[in-house]
Short mmCIF file of all heavy atoms in Angstrom, two decimals:
data_model
loop_
_atom_site.label_atom_id
_atom_site.label_comp_id
_atom_site.label_asym_id
_atom_site.label_seq_id
_atom_site.Cartn_x
_atom_site.Cartn_y
_atom_site.Cartn_z
N ASP A 1 5.93 -53.46 28.31
CA ASP A 1 5.49 -54.43 27.27
C ASP A 1 6.17 -54.06 25.94
O ASP A 1 5.90 -53.00 25.35
CB ASP A 1 3.96 -54.29 27.14
CG ASP A 1 3.39 -55.47 26.26
OD1 ASP A 1 4.17 -56.04 25.51
OD2 ASP A 1 2.17 -55.63 26.29
N ALA A 2 7.04 -55.01 25.44
CA ALA A 2 7.76 -54.76 24.22
C ALA A 2 6.85 -54.65 23.00
O ALA A 2 7.27 -54.16 21.95
CB ALA A 2 8.77 -55.87 24.02
N GLN A 3 5.56 -55.12 23.07
CA GLN A 3 4.65 -55.13 21.96
C GLN A 3 3.89 -53.79 21.89
O GLN A 3 3.20 -53.56 20.99
CB GLN A 3 3.62 -56.30 22.10
CG GLN A 3 4.23 -57.66 22.18
CD GLN A 3 5.05 -57.96 20.95
OE1 GLN A 3 4.62 -57.68 19.80
NE2 GLN A 3 6.24 -58.48 21.07
N LYS A 4 4.08 -52.94 22.83
CA LYS A 4 3.45 -51.60 22.90
C LYS A 4 4.47 -50.47 22.75
O LYS A 4 5.67 -50.72 22.92
CB LYS A 4 2.68 -51.47 24.23
CG LYS A 4 1.51 -52.43 24.42
CD LYS A 4 0.77 -52.17 25.69
CE LYS A 4 -0.35 -53.12 25.88
NZ LYS A 4 -1.11 -52.88 27.18
N ASP A 5 3.98 -49.30 22.44
CA ASP A 5 4.84 -48.13 22.31
C ASP A 5 4.83 -47.28 23.57
O ASP A 5 3.71 -46.93 24.11
CB ASP A 5 4.42 -47.29 21.14
CG ASP A 5 4.58 -48.02 19.83
OD1 ASP A 5 5.50 -48.81 19.68
OD2 ASP A 5 3.74 -47.81 18.87
N ALA A 6 6.01 -46.90 24.03
CA ALA A 6 6.07 -45.90 25.16
C ALA A 6 5.66 -44.55 24.67
O ALA A 6 4.99 -43.79 25.37
CB ALA A 6 7.52 -45.87 25.69
N ILE A 7 6.08 -44.20 23.45
CA ILE A 7 5.65 -42.92 22.77
C ILE A 7 4.72 -43.40 21.61
O ILE A 7 5.14 -43.97 20.67
CB ILE A 7 6.82 -42.18 22.23
CG1 ILE A 7 7.94 -41.92 23.31
CG2 ILE A 7 6.32 -40.78 21.63
CD1 ILE A 7 7.49 -41.10 24.44
N GLY A 8 3.45 -43.12 21.80
CA GLY A 8 2.47 -43.58 20.87
C GLY A 8 2.50 -43.02 19.45
O GLY A 8 3.18 -42.02 19.23
N SER A 9 1.84 -43.61 18.59
CA SER A 9 1.76 -43.22 17.18
C SER A 9 1.31 -41.79 17.04
O SER A 9 0.26 -41.42 17.57
CB SER A 9 0.90 -44.16 16.37
OG SER A 9 0.77 -43.72 15.06
N GLY A 10 2.03 -40.93 16.30
CA GLY A 10 1.64 -39.58 16.00
C GLY A 10 1.84 -38.60 17.19
O GLY A 10 1.53 -37.42 17.02
N MET A 11 2.42 -39.06 18.27
CA MET A 11 2.57 -38.12 19.42
C MET A 11 3.81 -37.24 19.20
O MET A 11 4.75 -37.61 18.58
CB MET A 11 2.71 -38.97 20.73
CG MET A 11 1.46 -39.60 21.18
SD MET A 11 0.16 -38.46 21.72
CE MET A 11 -0.85 -38.38 20.24
N GLU A 12 3.74 -36.05 19.83
CA GLU A 12 4.79 -35.09 19.75
C GLU A 12 5.18 -34.77 21.22
O GLU A 12 4.38 -34.48 22.12
CB GLU A 12 4.42 -33.77 19.12
CG GLU A 12 4.17 -33.96 17.62
CD GLU A 12 3.91 -32.59 16.91
OE1 GLU A 12 4.17 -31.57 17.55
OE2 GLU A 12 3.51 -32.64 15.74
N VAL A 13 6.55 -34.85 21.48
CA VAL A 13 7.05 -34.62 22.88
C VAL A 13 8.29 -33.67 22.70
O VAL A 13 9.12 -33.85 21.84
CB VAL A 13 7.55 -35.97 23.49
CG1 VAL A 13 8.03 -35.67 24.95
CG2 VAL A 13 6.41 -36.98 23.56
N GLU A 14 8.23 -32.62 23.55
CA GLU A 14 9.33 -31.65 23.59
C GLU A 14 9.59 -31.24 25.02
O GLU A 14 8.78 -30.49 25.60
CB GLU A 14 8.99 -30.43 22.72
CG GLU A 14 10.22 -29.51 22.52
CD GLU A 14 9.90 -28.36 21.56
OE1 GLU A 14 9.03 -28.49 20.75
OE2 GLU A 14 10.66 -27.33 21.67
N VAL A 15 10.68 -31.72 25.62
CA VAL A 15 11.05 -31.44 26.95
C VAL A 15 12.55 -31.25 27.02
O VAL A 15 13.28 -31.35 26.04
CB VAL A 15 10.62 -32.60 27.89
CG1 VAL A 15 9.09 -32.61 28.02
CG2 VAL A 15 11.18 -33.95 27.42
N SER A 16 13.06 -30.95 28.21
CA SER A 16 14.50 -30.80 28.40
C SER A 16 15.23 -32.08 28.29
O SER A 16 16.24 -32.22 27.56
CB SER A 16 14.86 -30.11 29.76
OG SER A 16 14.33 -28.78 29.74
N GLU A 17 14.76 -33.13 29.04
CA GLU A 17 15.36 -34.46 29.02
C GLU A 17 14.31 -35.49 29.01
O GLU A 17 13.20 -35.32 29.62
CB GLU A 17 16.30 -34.67 30.22
CG GLU A 17 17.47 -33.77 30.27
CD GLU A 17 18.46 -34.11 31.41
OE1 GLU A 17 18.29 -35.22 32.00
OE2 GLU A 17 19.31 -33.28 31.78
N ILE A 18 14.57 -36.64 28.33
CA ILE A 18 13.54 -37.72 28.27
C ILE A 18 14.31 -39.08 28.31
O ILE A 18 15.33 -39.22 27.58
CB ILE A 18 12.66 -37.57 27.08
CG1 ILE A 18 11.55 -38.62 27.14
CG2 ILE A 18 13.44 -37.63 25.75
CD1 ILE A 18 10.41 -38.42 26.12
N ASP A 19 13.88 -39.92 29.16
CA ASP A 19 14.39 -41.27 29.28
C ASP A 19 13.23 -42.23 28.90
O ASP A 19 12.22 -42.37 29.69
CB ASP A 19 14.85 -41.54 30.68
CG ASP A 19 15.58 -42.90 30.84
OD1 ASP A 19 15.57 -43.69 29.85
OD2 ASP A 19 16.11 -43.22 31.83
N ILE A 20 13.36 -42.88 27.78
CA ILE A 20 12.25 -43.72 27.23
C ILE A 20 12.59 -45.19 27.42
O ILE A 20 13.54 -45.69 26.75
CB ILE A 20 11.96 -43.38 25.74
CG1 ILE A 20 11.63 -41.93 25.55
CG2 ILE A 20 10.86 -44.32 25.21
CD1 ILE A 20 11.63 -41.49 24.07
N ASP A 21 11.94 -45.80 28.35
CA ASP A 21 12.14 -47.27 28.56
C ASP A 21 11.09 -48.01 27.74
O ASP A 21 10.03 -48.38 28.29
CB ASP A 21 12.01 -47.60 30.02
CG ASP A 21 12.42 -49.00 30.33
OD1 ASP A 21 12.74 -49.76 29.41
OD2 ASP A 21 12.35 -49.44 31.51
N GLY A 22 11.33 -48.14 26.42
CA GLY A 22 10.28 -48.71 25.57
C GLY A 22 10.53 -48.21 24.14
O GLY A 22 11.59 -47.74 23.79
N ASN A 23 9.49 -48.39 23.31
CA ASN A 23 9.56 -48.09 21.91
C ASN A 23 8.97 -46.74 21.55
O ASN A 23 8.08 -46.20 22.24
CB ASN A 23 8.83 -49.18 21.06
CG ASN A 23 9.44 -50.57 21.37
OD1 ASN A 23 10.62 -50.71 21.71
ND2 ASN A 23 8.51 -51.60 21.42
N ILE A 24 9.38 -46.22 20.35
CA ILE A 24 8.79 -45.00 19.79
C ILE A 24 7.97 -45.43 18.54
O ILE A 24 8.54 -46.07 17.67
CB ILE A 24 9.87 -44.01 19.37
CG1 ILE A 24 10.67 -43.49 20.64
CG2 ILE A 24 9.25 -42.81 18.72
CD1 ILE A 24 11.72 -42.52 20.35
N GLY A 25 6.70 -45.04 18.54
CA GLY A 25 5.80 -45.49 17.48
C GLY A 25 5.92 -44.72 16.19
O GLY A 25 6.71 -43.71 16.07
N ALA A 26 5.17 -45.11 15.25
CA ALA A 26 5.15 -44.47 13.89
C ALA A 26 4.70 -42.99 13.97
O ALA A 26 3.77 -42.61 14.68
CB ALA A 26 4.21 -45.23 12.94
N TYR A 27 5.33 -42.19 13.16
CA TYR A 27 5.05 -40.77 13.00
C TYR A 27 5.12 -39.97 14.33
O TYR A 27 4.61 -38.83 14.45
CB TYR A 27 3.71 -40.55 12.40
CG TYR A 27 3.52 -41.27 11.08
CD1 TYR A 27 2.77 -42.43 10.96
CD2 TYR A 27 4.19 -40.82 9.94
CE1 TYR A 27 2.73 -43.12 9.76
CE2 TYR A 27 4.09 -41.47 8.76
CZ TYR A 27 3.34 -42.66 8.61
OH TYR A 27 3.27 -43.27 7.46
N ALA A 28 5.75 -40.57 15.32
CA ALA A 28 5.98 -39.82 16.59
C ALA A 28 7.22 -38.93 16.41
O ALA A 28 8.15 -39.21 15.65
CB ALA A 28 6.24 -40.78 17.76
N LYS A 29 7.22 -37.80 17.19
CA LYS A 29 8.35 -36.88 17.13
C LYS A 29 8.78 -36.48 18.51
O LYS A 29 7.99 -36.08 19.34
CB LYS A 29 7.92 -35.61 16.38
CG LYS A 29 9.02 -34.61 16.18
CD LYS A 29 8.53 -33.37 15.44
CE LYS A 29 9.69 -32.37 15.23
NZ LYS A 29 9.26 -31.15 14.50
N VAL A 30 10.07 -36.68 18.82
CA VAL A 30 10.60 -36.43 20.13
C VAL A 30 11.70 -35.44 20.00
O VAL A 30 12.64 -35.60 19.16
CB VAL A 30 11.10 -37.69 20.83
CG1 VAL A 30 11.69 -37.39 22.18
CG2 VAL A 30 9.98 -38.71 21.02
N VAL A 31 11.69 -34.34 20.82
CA VAL A 31 12.71 -33.29 20.75
C VAL A 31 13.19 -32.98 22.20
O VAL A 31 12.28 -32.81 23.08
CB VAL A 31 12.20 -31.98 20.11
CG1 VAL A 31 13.26 -30.96 20.09
CG2 VAL A 31 11.69 -32.26 18.71
N ALA A 32 14.48 -33.01 22.48
CA ALA A 32 14.96 -32.73 23.79
C ALA A 32 16.42 -32.36 23.67
O ALA A 32 17.03 -32.42 22.64
CB ALA A 32 14.84 -34.05 24.67
N LEU A 33 16.95 -31.90 24.86
CA LEU A 33 18.41 -31.63 24.90
C LEU A 33 19.17 -32.98 25.09
O LEU A 33 20.28 -33.13 24.58
CB LEU A 33 18.72 -30.66 26.08
CG LEU A 33 18.15 -29.30 25.95
CD1 LEU A 33 18.46 -28.39 27.15
CD2 LEU A 33 18.67 -28.58 24.66
N LYS A 34 18.58 -33.83 25.87
CA LYS A 34 19.16 -35.12 26.11
C LYS A 34 18.08 -36.18 26.03
O LYS A 34 16.99 -36.01 26.63
CB LYS A 34 19.80 -35.14 27.53
CG LYS A 34 20.55 -36.47 27.82
CD LYS A 34 21.11 -36.37 29.25
CE LYS A 34 21.82 -37.71 29.56
NZ LYS A 34 22.42 -37.66 30.94
N ALA A 35 18.37 -37.27 25.30
CA ALA A 35 17.33 -38.29 25.17
C ALA A 35 18.00 -39.67 25.15
O ALA A 35 19.05 -39.88 24.62
CB ALA A 35 16.52 -38.13 23.86
N THR A 36 17.24 -40.66 25.78
CA THR A 36 17.66 -42.01 25.83
C THR A 36 16.50 -42.89 25.43
O THR A 36 15.40 -42.76 25.92
CB THR A 36 18.17 -42.46 27.19
OG1 THR A 36 19.27 -41.53 27.64
CG2 THR A 36 18.69 -43.84 27.21
N VAL A 37 16.77 -43.89 24.49
CA VAL A 37 15.72 -44.78 24.08
C VAL A 37 16.23 -46.22 24.23
O VAL A 37 17.15 -46.64 23.52
CB VAL A 37 15.29 -44.59 22.59
CG1 VAL A 37 14.12 -45.54 22.20
CG2 VAL A 37 14.93 -43.11 22.35
N SER A 38 15.67 -46.90 25.21
CA SER A 38 16.15 -48.28 25.46
C SER A 38 15.45 -49.36 24.54
O SER A 38 15.94 -50.45 24.50
CB SER A 38 16.02 -48.67 26.92
OG SER A 38 14.54 -48.64 27.28
N GLY A 39 14.41 -48.91 23.90
CA GLY A 39 13.72 -49.80 22.98
C GLY A 39 14.16 -49.56 21.58
O GLY A 39 15.32 -49.38 21.29
N GLN A 40 13.16 -49.50 20.63
CA GLN A 40 13.48 -49.22 19.19
C GLN A 40 12.62 -48.09 18.67
O GLN A 40 11.55 -47.79 19.19
CB GLN A 40 13.28 -50.48 18.39
CG GLN A 40 11.89 -51.01 18.44
CD GLN A 40 11.78 -52.38 17.71
OE1 GLN A 40 12.76 -53.10 17.51
NE2 GLN A 40 10.53 -52.75 17.28
N THR A 41 13.15 -47.47 17.63
CA THR A 41 12.37 -46.38 16.98
C THR A 41 11.78 -46.89 15.69
O THR A 41 12.44 -47.66 14.97
CB THR A 41 13.29 -45.20 16.64
OG1 THR A 41 14.35 -45.68 15.77
CG2 THR A 41 13.97 -44.64 17.95
#
């Protein structure tokens, strides 16, 4: 759903690799060695 966030508002994610098929919400923080975001930040 393009109207929703794959990484929700205020969430913190820290992993080796992350493939995000969707959006990153406000004040979210993503840290990885390799990252892909197919939506918008």
Side-chain angles (χ1 to χ4, degrees):
D1 190 342
Q3 301 301 315
K4 295 182 179 179
D5 293 327
I7 309 295
S9 177
M11 289 293 96
E12 292 186 11
V13 182
E14 188 174 338
V15 292
S16 294
E17 294 185 16
I18 185 167
D19 187 353
I20 304 169
D21 187 0
N23 305 325
I24 297 180
Y27 305 106
K29 183 179 180 181
V30 177
V31 180
L33 296 177
K34 182 180 179 182
T36 303
V37 182
S38 61
Q40 61 186 19
T41 61

